[in-house]
Amino acid sequence: MTYARKAPTLVTVSVELFGNARLLAGRSLLRLNVADDCALKDIAEAIGRLHPNLVGTVVREDLTGFLDSYIVNLNGVEFIDDQHQRLIEGDSLLVFSSLAGG
Amino acid sequence: MYGYHGRVMLVDLGSRTVRWESLGEDVLRHFIGGSGLGAYLLYRYCAPNCDPLSPENPLIFATSPLVGSRLTTSSKFAVVAKSPLTGMIGDSLSSSFIATELKKTGSDAIVITGRSSSPTLLAITDDAVEFRDASSLVGMGTSETERAVKAQLGAMYRVASIGPAGENLVRFAGIANDGGRQAGRTGPGAVMGSKNLKAIAVRGHSAVSFAEPEALNDIRTDLSRRSLGDATEKYRTLGTMANVSVFNRLGALPTRNFQQSTFEGVETVSGETFQKSHHVKNAHCASCTIGCEHILTTTDNGAKTTGRMEYQSSFAMGPLVGVNDPNTVIRASALCDEMGMDTISAGGTIAWAMECFENGTLTPKDTGGADLRFGDGDALLELLEMIADRNGLGDVLAEGSRRAAETLGRGSDEWAMHVKGLEMPGYEPRSLKTMALALSVSTRGACHNRSSAYEADFSNRVDRLSVDEERGRIAMEGEDYSAVMDSLTWCKFLRKAFDDFYGESSIIYEHLTGWPTTPDDLKLAGERINNLKKLFNIREGWTREDDTLPPRVLNEELQTGIVKGIGLTRPDLDMMIDGYYQARGWTEEGLVPEGKLEELQLVDLVSQHRANRNAAPALR
Ligand code: SF4
């Protein structure tokens, strides 16, 4: 018997931008087609390529993730810091400031 | 002595006398300054069980060793008194130039007792204290008062004043300084009003020396640089108003008196909208490199209004009362500032009244014919004026939601959204469970600032929708950390700029004072300060039943957004409270055992006052 890793499939996820990220991008919602086993860094890179003015302000300069001042929440429920988060079709990623409170 | 003056100024408004008492190294090291030193002075100088609006309730202004150091965000002070809303400890922080000027008068704190027979302006110039007639200032708003006092005494004086709300003893009146900064929560403005004290003006020339000025210079440069990075991005861009749309999405934005936790009108009152369409400029407190203050202006055809805005005001004058017009939110918040009222308590009490009206508990007969419906901006603005003037229904609402519900009866306490009498801030406890615990046990009532427990809920450290006993430890650690911040008087918005808060702060404290200090010394001071606040409340009649949340939170599930169906039961809250008492080393009833007093070196202070504990019934 041979074991084969399931090939990644493409899923469409939403990215909801809040705060300064929204103002800089000029929009609140992005849709991305990404592999279902993609990591957060892949999402960050996709966002950075789509909106270069978010690079250095929301996404790290080298596109390897989000800046510490931003946090990512999956579907409004779970905060993610895992660089390899499995996503499913229709997921929403909320990107907002990691500075809570006020 | 470095960093401190080592003395407190005691002013008696009744006898018009002033004296000074020394503050020893032990007291200063144990309670640091700001909120901690204020708590110590309150414990010491407040007559047990006094009426908060009586001459016996001291009004305390306390600075810290950081004040005058020009380290970023350090120009802060605490105002402490027994709260007329809660009957327990009330403390509130404000900032800017007056903090530095207060300290330069040559004292670390000022304790004001007694009551003047006529409206008074207290003018403090170094050691010279003048009791000036303030009759001409009566009825003026806070900024108008500040301008008038400066015209009288000179532009170099810094002024703290009350508006009509404080004069009329609105129980949630605040004290304003430096063009609109507010010591807003827990009603210190009513305490000031009860003393017939309209304003305090200060001017000093006695700067303290610091033990290691050169080392402090280097730290100042480094900390200022760090304060401009990622660690404060939110505060410098949209400010705390950025919370509105995020909280809405997470089902944590209290709406229409906490009946919902999402607001369909959120777009127009979001931080993004305010920034895009109403933002004029950012402003700074004195000695601050962050500049989180967002000055907004109205853009409609009504009277032009410009004022400061932050999350709690935009929530309380917006979603909490169902208002989605940004211009009304700006006007209402500016009106509160000018009248000298806490926006959170004002909004919370009006939201209670609006719900009463909509469910028929209040009728047009009670409201003088006014329609008090959620979303009615004109009604909101009119009610704010009526409260400040104690006019008609405003007289009942000026008492805060707890007392207003007691007066009205008809079961309206079921939706009076307060803890211990202090109205709830803009954090929905059912969808932020660590915050729920912190709100219930806070010594100053429904307070978001003395625990920063929301930080855990907005992270992957906990599941914000479920409960466990461990929340007790998280809330306790947050409270002790906040106590150190509020006593050193760092601004909370600087917190992420520290890599190791206790480590760096202990080094800075040592450079300021010359006293060897370890991170554990500061941690212990935080714990000591919170225990002392609790001991004050116990002395004033606190029992475990006071650590609770409004009935709505414990009986109703959330109805909207992604948190639909989520609630918080009494047993779940009790379990978290048990965990908190356990983490604190308190008894099951939440009392502080003798061993804890010894550990925190509080035995002497407490035993001096123990004899008075049962002297008279508590007035709350
Ligand atoms: S960050 Fe804001 S509140 Fe804090 S000191 Fe600076 S301007 Fe004042």
Side-chain angles (χ1 to χ4, degrees), chain A residues 16 19 76 81 99-102, chain B residues 234 243 249 272 312 460 464 495:
Chain A
E16 297 176 47
D81 62 4
L99 300 166
Chain B
K234 175 174 121 178
N243 292 350
R249 183 66 175 84
E272 290 86 350
Q312 292 299 338
N460 58 3
R464 70 186 171 100
R495 66 194 188 282

Side-chain angles (χ1 to χ4, degrees), chain B residues 73 76 95 181 283-285 288 290-293 491 493:
Chain B
T73 81
K76 279 182 134 47
S95 42
R181 302 292 315 171
H284 296 241
C285 293
C288 174
I290 301 172
C292 76
E293 293 193 313
C491 179
F493 297 161

Side-chain angles (χ1 to χ4, degrees), chain B residues 541-602:
Chain B
W542 174 93
T543 66
R544 181 172 172 145
E545 280 80 68
D546 290 302
D547 282 358
T548 187
L549 288 168
R552 161 159 293 154
V553 174
L554 299 174
N555 299 331
E556 295 175 22
E557 290 178 350
L558 295 170
Q559 297 172 17
T560 56
I562 55 168
V563 293
K564 190 170 181 208
I566 300 284
L568 173 62
T569 63
R570 178 82 243 180
D572 278 353
L573 178 62
D574 278 340
M575 182 256 282
M576 290 198 290
I577 292 175
D578 287 342
Y580 171 79
Y581 291 168
Q582 230 167 53
R584 279 248 170 256
W586 293 347
T587 70
E588 278 178 18
E589 288 310 303
L591 300 171
V592 185
E594 291 295 319
K596 184 54 81 178
L597 294 181
E598 276 161 30
E599 190 187 320
L600 298 173
Q601 296 161 283
L602 286 169

